[in-house]
Amino acid sequence: MKFKILLLTGLIAASFSVNAQSKNKGYAITGDGNKDFMWMNIRQIDLSTGKVTKTIFQRSKTNFSMLNLDSKKSVNQTAFSDGNIFNPSQYPTSSFVAAAAYDKRSDKLFFIPMRIGELRWMDANVKNDVPQFYSMAIPGYIPSAGGDEANNITRMVLASDGYGYAATNDGNHLYKFSTGKKPSVTDLGSLIDGEESKDLSVHSKCSSWGGDMIADAFGKLYIISATRNVFVVDVNSRLTTFKGTITGLPGNYTTNGAAVDADGNIILCSATTFDGYYKMSLASLAATKMEGSDVVFNASDLASGNLLLQKEADQARSSSLSKLLPISNTEFSQNSIYPNPVVSNTFNVLLDGKQNGTYNVVISDLAGRALQSTKVGLAKGQQSQKVILRTRPVKGTYIVKVVDEKNNEILSDKVIIL
């Protein structure tokens, strides 16, 4: 019996260890090391230690294939028999990459090479050591010419709504993209400086270009510029508010990459120095060095599947939902309703993976009384549907159910209305 208890304890501990490692899995865009600044390689890193754990793709060395979904043409490593690995129409990471985002649901790594108007992605779970890349044109995108970097896309993240977001250096374009088999890309328009941010514009080249973007569990985006300034972005309005400047970094340390670890910390990297990784909290914006982190490779970008304030969001939902009566449901996900809590008169229902067609979104109180039914249509390329509260109920917790045309319940979740 004692042996069985010890064995069970060991298995539980191992399970927690694997889970922690999975949540701390991140990706970095790096050079070859040894003071190399050619950011074309994709490496897996452990966000808890800052150490490289695996090389996913390395220029000139890793065999690959890439399919362009627009032209249906495929290329592979054999295309470079002449040694020209910088051909932007063929090489996956040519012209360098400074914007990447990881979708943990589909296990895909998305990225946009600079000066190339294409969204590209790969299956992160590489089979046979030959990564498969895909690419498609970004509608209406005009790459920067010559030395102009204004339209280069250098900030990118997968947000809590299941969509990816990417921003140009000058902040004049915020792109939104889906993550299906053939993503759709939409230009939402220019970021807008909030009233309190007039003294430090998100469009300013000196203070706000470059860097990276992360997201929180409440639907907000955060731009961290290369010059250490942090801006909060409201996706719906595109209003941008200056939050503060990161402290504690060496003088020559530019903040080019950022990712969230399993504990909700922000991990930072630099493309210009070989000084390892730094860690900071959103509350303090004070960075501390991660001792023992990798100093062989600098990194132009970081990506992870974690969200800021996830623990806070989970605790808020848990405390508000603890009094709920149990409900039977076909599928339950705390991320299927966003934003949650709802503070305006609209929210979104994530229907990723559901068949195209017509659905009814029913809002009920805890007694099961239907307050509103909204018919929505899911078309190709869509992942979510907006629901408008026609009559705003009193503050509290409600049940949202989605049923198909045959009245089969395909999703049930809880929403807090504030």
Side-chain angles (χ1 to χ4, degrees), residues 37-169:
F37 295 93
M38 300 171 68
W39 307 299
M40 302 167 71
N41 303 323
I42 301 172
R43 305 184 196 275
Q44 184 176 305
I45 62 172
D46 185 334
L47 293 173
S48 66
T49 63
K51 292 184 179 295
V52 172
T53 56
K54 184 190 302 183
T55 296
I56 304 295
F57 176 79
Q58 187 167 0
R59 62 186 177 96
S60 304
K61 294 184 179 181
T62 304
N63 290 324
F64 72 92
S65 61
M66 183 168 69
L67 175 65
N68 185 291
L69 297 186
D70 299 316
S71 66
K72 305 301 181 183
K73 292 183 179 180
S74 180
V75 298
N76 52 50
Q77 184 77 30
T78 59
F80 309 110
S81 56
D82 59 354
N84 179 19
I85 64 169
F86 292 97
N87 188 334
S89 65
Q90 295 180 324
Y91 204 69
T93 55
S94 65
S95 78
F96 302 169
V97 173
Y102 175 61
D103 181 17
K104 64 181 179 180
R105 296 176 306 162
S106 62
D107 200 19
K108 294 177 182 177
L109 183 70
F110 292 82
F111 61 93
I112 300 175
M114 291 188 288
R115 296 175 289 281
I116 297 179
E118 289 187 355
L119 174 68
R120 296 181 175 180
W121 63 97
M122 64 172 291
D123 298 319
N125 183 20
V126 178
K127 298 179 180 178
N128 302 321
D129 295 325
V130 180
Q132 171 68 60
F133 292 88
Y134 303 88
S135 67
M136 61 173 288
I138 299 174
Y141 179 81
I142 301 175
S144 295
D148 182 20
E149 298 180 354
N151 216 34
N152 284 342
I153 296 175
T154 55
R155 292 82 73 95
M156 194 172 179
V157 72
L158 257 293
S160 62
D161 60 4
Y163 285 93
Y165 292 87
T168 55
N169 270 333

Side-chain angles (χ1 to χ4, degrees), residues 138-383:
I138 299 174
Y141 179 81
I142 301 175
S144 295
D148 182 20
E149 298 180 354
N151 216 34
N152 284 342
I153 296 175
T154 55
R155 292 82 73 95
M156 194 172 179
V157 72
L158 257 293
S160 62
D161 60 4
Y163 285 93
Y165 292 87
T168 55
N169 270 333
D170 60 11
N172 288 338
H173 300 275
L174 178 65
Y175 293 97
K176 176 182 179 180
F177 62 91
S178 61
T179 60
K181 290 184 177 180
K182 179 150 186 202
S184 60
V185 184
T186 304
D187 187 352
L188 300 179
S190 177
L191 296 174
I192 303 169
D193 287 320
E195 288 294 325
E196 59 274 36
S197 301
K198 287 185 177 180
D199 293 335
L200 193 64
S201 171
V202 74
H203 302 284
S204 172
K205 181 177 182 179
C206 296
S207 64
S208 310
W209 284 24
D212 203 355
M213 190 153 57
I214 52 180
D216 71 20
F218 294 98
K220 300 294 186 184
L221 306 179
Y222 299 77
I223 289 177
I224 299 177
S225 74
T227 50
R228 313 178 187 185
N229 292 315
V230 181
F231 299 85
V232 185
V233 181
D234 182 279
V235 174
N236 296 321
S237 65
R238 304 193 307 283
L239 277 175
T240 307
T241 305
F242 173 64
K243 178 175 177 58
T245 302
I246 300 170
T247 61
L249 296 171
N252 60 345
Y253 198 98
T254 54
T255 45
N256 300 100
V260 181
D261 70 9
D263 295 320
N265 300 303
I266 302 171
I267 309 301
L268 303 170
C269 72
S270 176
T272 59
T273 66
F274 295 80
D275 195 30
Y277 293 87
Y278 280 73
K279 179 190 296 186
M280 74 171 187
S281 70
L282 178 64
S284 68
L285 298 185
T288 57
K289 186 174 176 59
M290 294 177 64
E291 298 297 338
S293 59
D294 194 281
V295 295
V296 175
F297 306 105
N298 61 358
S300 60
D301 204 70
L302 294 178
S304 78
N306 300 318
L307 296 170
L308 281 172
L309 305 177
Q310 185 65 67
K311 292 181 179 179
E312 290 80 354
D314 291 343
Q315 289 171 358
R317 294 188 183 110
S318 177
S319 61
S320 298
L321 302 176
S322 59
K323 298 180 181 179
L324 272 177
L325 295 174
I327 59 176
S328 60
N329 58 290
T330 304
E331 179 176 333
F332 177 83
S333 168
Q334 289 186 336
N335 294 320
S336 61
I337 308 294
Y338 66 92
N340 193 2
V342 177
V343 295
S344 64
N345 67 335
T346 65
F347 62 87
N348 298 278
V349 180
L350 183 63
L351 296 171
D352 186 26
K354 303 299 183 293
Q355 293 183 348
N356 298 338
T358 302
Y359 298 88
N360 276 322
V361 180
V362 181
I363 305 173
S364 305
D365 61 17
L366 299 186
R369 293 171 296 195
L371 305 180
Q372 175 180 315
S373 179
T374 303
K375 183 172 289 187
V376 299
L378 190 66
K380 183 178 180 181
Q382 290 181 310
Q383 291 180 297

